[in-house]
Amino acid sequence: MKTPRLSLTASTALALAGFTLLPLAQAVKAQQTPALEEVVVTGSHIRRKSQFDTPSPLSVVDRADMLDQGASTVVDVIKNLPENSGAEFQVDNLTQPLTSGTSNINLRNLGLGSTLVMINGQRHTLSAVAATDGSSFVDTNSLVPFIALDRIEVLKDGAAATYGSDAVAGVVNFMTRDDFEGVEIQAKYQSVDTGSHSDSELGVIWGGGNDTTHLVLAASYFDRDPLQSNEREFTEGTALSSLGQPGTFLTSEGFQVDPACGVSGGFVRASGFCGFDYSPYFDLSPEEQRWQAFGKLTHDFSETTTGTLEVSYADTEVKVIASPSFPFSTFFPTVPAHNPGNLWGEDAQFFGRVLGADAGPSVAVNEYETARIAGSLDGSFSAGWYWTLNASYSEQEVFYDKGDVLQERAVAALEGRGGPNNDQYWNPLYDEKDDPAVIADMFGSTGLRGETSLYTVDGIVSGDLMEISSGTVQAAFGVHYRDEELSHDWSDDFNNRAFLNLFGGPDYSGSRDVYALFGEFAIPLGDTLDMQVSARYEDYGSGLDSLDPKLALLWRPSEQWSVRGSVGTAFRAPSLFQTIATQATQANMYDPLSDSTVYRSVQTVGNPDLEPEEADVFNTGVTWAPTDALELSLDYWYFKYDDLIVKQIPDVVVAQEVADTQAGLQGTDAQQRVIREAASGLITFVKTDFINASSAETDGLDLSWSYRFAPQGMGDFRFGGTWTWMNRYDLQEGPDSPEIDAVGSRNRLNFARSMPEWQGNINLSWMQDAHSAAAYLRYTDSYVDDGNNTKIDSHATLDLRYAYEIEQLGAGSATLAVGAINVTDEDPPTVIDLLGYDTKVHDPRGRMFYLNVTYAF
């Protein structure tokens, strides 16, 4: 049964923000606030009294929380944030082959590019590869070594007025351990309960200095053994293809299967083709190695001026297995009558692939190299004014390689002109063993070398602007410049569209400059009510610009209560990838003509005429802390998106093409986009576009709580939780399209991503003397697979951790921790798909045990 939907319009939101808080504030007496050191908070450029003194909802995951969760990578933390929905943190070499080894964040399921990711308050370059849906994102695997991470600040409110484009859904700011002193070494080993998969991680951090200079250095190495699909029962028989080896031949008498079909790994399908089960040829978690390093130097040049310099580096290599070779899909070659493998005495068309089960899996390689250097100078003027100058440069280079069969060489080999000397046959019959040199001669390389880079400069001044009757008005003003670049250089074979499966496409490159002006005011309206007004103008050139304001209120009627609200606008410019790229991917799509799911190439061409996404954003919330031990927080959020940039769904295009054909139409847009093989009628590839969808409107609730208690003689306990309820996500793909409610759906047939209605965590931790323990119960609601109208069950897992601290061990102290992830070994809910589970939501690895040893001195 669906939870009843709420409805709140932007006008209602403004009423709540503008008319509810002010009268309430006027009815409350002044409260005295003790003086505290001023800090810069994520979501503002004005120095505030504490990191929680903000009118926007801000949650913080500190290092102690990360360790309690048993985390050893950034992914281990961000994948469990309930507000992070529809992100990519698992490998899926069918729907995201180019991004294996990366991870990202998707606040509110508003898109991978709608969350701004920063390191210590500064932007980081986008990944050199884009998601299959065309989304550009920051690769959170490449930021800093996990051991150097102090906390993650999540601003769950639109922040375009402060930070510009990409901050529509919010901001995630990764903060490092800048004040660390001494040496800390951490080693962790984690292994699945059954199977060969394990993770090993080693990290070291050092920090030291004097009264004016401090240096922190950190490095880590992460190694992951693969977990393959044949090690999990839920993947058995989930991926079936009509194009295998043994294959199928089309003659004048109809389709003829290879005589070996049924006895050599193949089976005859209802369609008459010789089928192939390729479900054993997937990685659920791939082989992966990652080196990371980080350094930060802080120096006080004087009592008023401080400088910092940050350097980071990451090198990742991922090897992902797939089926022995791709099926022929863009072209189905002819086997001449004179080929030794032709049993029918006439030319026959071949449907299948070059290599079968006996060849073993193929391997794709993803390598990423990421570097970043950032510096800042901070100083102060007289009369309470501060200045900041920031500059950064970051880049990521990627190398990707995956072999595929070359059309020209396959045709030549079928005609007897194959091999290194152009004089050998390829016999497509399964039982005939070809010369390995003939097979090798038929394969080419995709050979992608890509690069993205980002150069940024910021100048900010902030301080006390004026005195008014209710207090001091503070202000911040700034300028911003950034240069973004993207380039992809593919192999000649890919450029020439020479492959039988991969469609290919041209190289491309581009760059753009972005300029911005911004301002912010913090205005006390009374002893208990503060107002924040901010605006940012951003110019991309060529007429693409935006001015985005934001109004926020923070009311503290007493020491126990805090009420906040904000309303504003936001925008996100099309990414460089969406405007200049030609993206060639593969996708499963349902073909009504053959009544089967087919795996085919999809080509999407960048659209330079895309409009920017625009959004109205509203948030209101309340925090209640009746005692120092208890705190509860509830927030309502609302986003109204227009002109969302999405990639057309191949299934939708194919369905429209079939409907047009059955209606007797000719030359329609859909019919021109779906290319079919003339003789068989099978789809060879589909053309899609990046488009501005009409709209998306979403809202929901965030709930969090924390309660601390200490029974006599039993230690200290903390009970807490974080939950997100997605109330509504109504979308339209075009002005005349029907409205779709995406909540509680996998959204296979639209541009949204998997969207359970409820997600959340409950945790209980305990500490006494040298002992500590933690338990995390994680829950994901059930939802519907709209591709086949089946239910995907809810999922709950339990994580446990126990740690013991040895205060004096040699020159330092040590902590030994043991734990288990998914203690009850719950399989991910079954999904009728090629991997048997939903890679955007669930973890396929099952129960995992770990040992974590930390030594500090």
Side-chain angles (χ1 to χ4, degrees), residues 221-239:
Y221 174 70
F222 176 78
D223 181 81
R224 169 167 287 172
D225 293 329
L227 176 69
Q228 297 178 354
S229 55
N230 58 10
E231 299 180 73
R232 288 291 180 263
E233 292 183 359
F234 58 82
T235 66
E236 292 181 359
T238 55

Side-chain angles (χ1 to χ4, degrees), residues 160-161 480 515-519 535-540 544-548 571:
H480 169 84
Y515 300 87
L517 299 172
F518 52 90
R536 183 178 178 113
Y537 172 75
E538 202 153 276
D539 187 354
Y540 282 75
L544 178 58
D545 58 4
S546 180
L547 175 63
D548 292 286
F571 93 111

Side-chain angles (χ1 to χ4, degrees), residues 500-798:
L500 280 169
N501 180 271
L502 298 169
F503 188 76
D507 300 332
Y508 47 85
S509 63
S511 64
R512 65 184 178 193
D513 298 322
V514 182
Y515 300 87
L517 299 172
F518 52 90
E520 180 183 347
F521 299 90
I523 306 171
L525 300 180
D527 292 333
T528 64
L529 182 64
D530 294 323
M531 179 170 68
Q532 176 183 327
V533 181
S534 53
R536 183 178 178 113
Y537 172 75
E538 202 153 276
D539 187 354
Y540 282 75
S542 302
L544 178 58
D545 58 4
S546 180
L547 175 63
D548 292 286
K550 181 178 179 179
L551 169 67
L553 295 170
L554 176 64
W555 176 43
R556 298 174 297 275
S558 69
E559 293 183 358
Q560 291 79 34
W561 289 93
S562 175
V563 183
R564 56 191 166 270
S566 65
V567 61
T569 67
F571 93 111
R572 190 182 74 83
S575 69
L576 277 174
F577 187 88
Q578 291 167 332
T579 58
I580 67 172
T582 298
Q583 185 184 39
T585 59
Q586 288 75 47
N588 281 288
M589 60 196 76
Y590 176 71
D591 182 5
L593 287 186
S594 62
D595 190 26
S596 62
T597 297
V598 296
Y599 184 61
R600 295 293 187 265
S601 287
V602 179
Q603 184 193 59
T604 310
V605 178
N607 181 0
D609 297 323
L610 287 170
E611 296 293 330
E613 300 176 345
E614 297 181 347
D616 296 323
V617 183
F618 171 75
N619 190 94
T620 186
V622 58
T623 297
W624 179 51
T627 69
D628 292 339
L630 175 63
E631 181 177 294
L632 294 94
S633 183
L634 179 67
D635 279 277
Y636 171 82
W637 44 268
Y638 169 88
F639 295 84
K640 173 63 169 68
Y641 252 108
D642 289 312
D643 292 325
L644 253 143
I645 300 170
V646 300
K647 181 178 175 178
Q648 291 176 307
I649 307 300
D651 296 75
V652 176
V653 177
V654 172
Q656 186 63 53
E657 178 254 354
V658 172
D660 291 349
T661 301
Q662 292 175 343
L665 303 177
Q666 293 183 354
T668 68
D669 179 68
Q671 288 171 328
Q672 295 179 49
R673 291 179 180 278
V674 180
I675 311 302
R676 295 181 179 270
E677 205 275 333
S680 65
L682 294 177
I683 295 173
T684 57
F685 71 94
V686 177
K687 300 177 182 179
T688 61
D689 283 338
F690 293 117
I691 61 172
N692 284 108
S694 180
S695 66
E697 189 171 11
T698 181
D699 66 348
L701 296 174
D702 289 335
L703 172 66
S704 64
W705 71 92
S706 178
Y707 177 56
R708 300 175 184 272
F709 56 100
Q712 185 71 29
M714 297 179 62
D716 297 322
F717 290 84
R718 186 184 68 174
F719 175 63
T722 55
W723 286 80
T724 292
W725 173 50
M726 185 81 74
N727 170 55
R728 170 180 47 171
Y729 198 113
D730 298 332
L731 58 87
Q732 284 184 293
E733 291 191 342
D736 301 323
S737 302
E739 189 174 90
I740 300 171
D741 181 6
V743 175
S745 173
R746 193 180 178 198
N747 297 311
R748 289 284 305 279
L749 303 180
N750 60 67
F751 57 75
R753 291 167 174 250
S754 298
M755 200 177 301
E757 188 173 351
W758 287 92
Q759 291 188 108
N761 311 298
I762 297 175
N763 62 83
L764 177 65
S765 60
W766 164 81
M767 179 181 295
Q768 185 173 30
D769 300 326
H771 305 271
S772 63
Y776 283 79
L777 179 64
R778 310 191 186 280
Y779 175 79
T780 301
D781 199 14
S782 62
Y783 53 109
V784 175
D785 190 337
D786 57 326
N788 47 47
N789 199 31
T790 58
K791 180 182 178 182
I792 301 173
D793 292 334
S794 61
H795 192 238
T797 61
L798 176 65

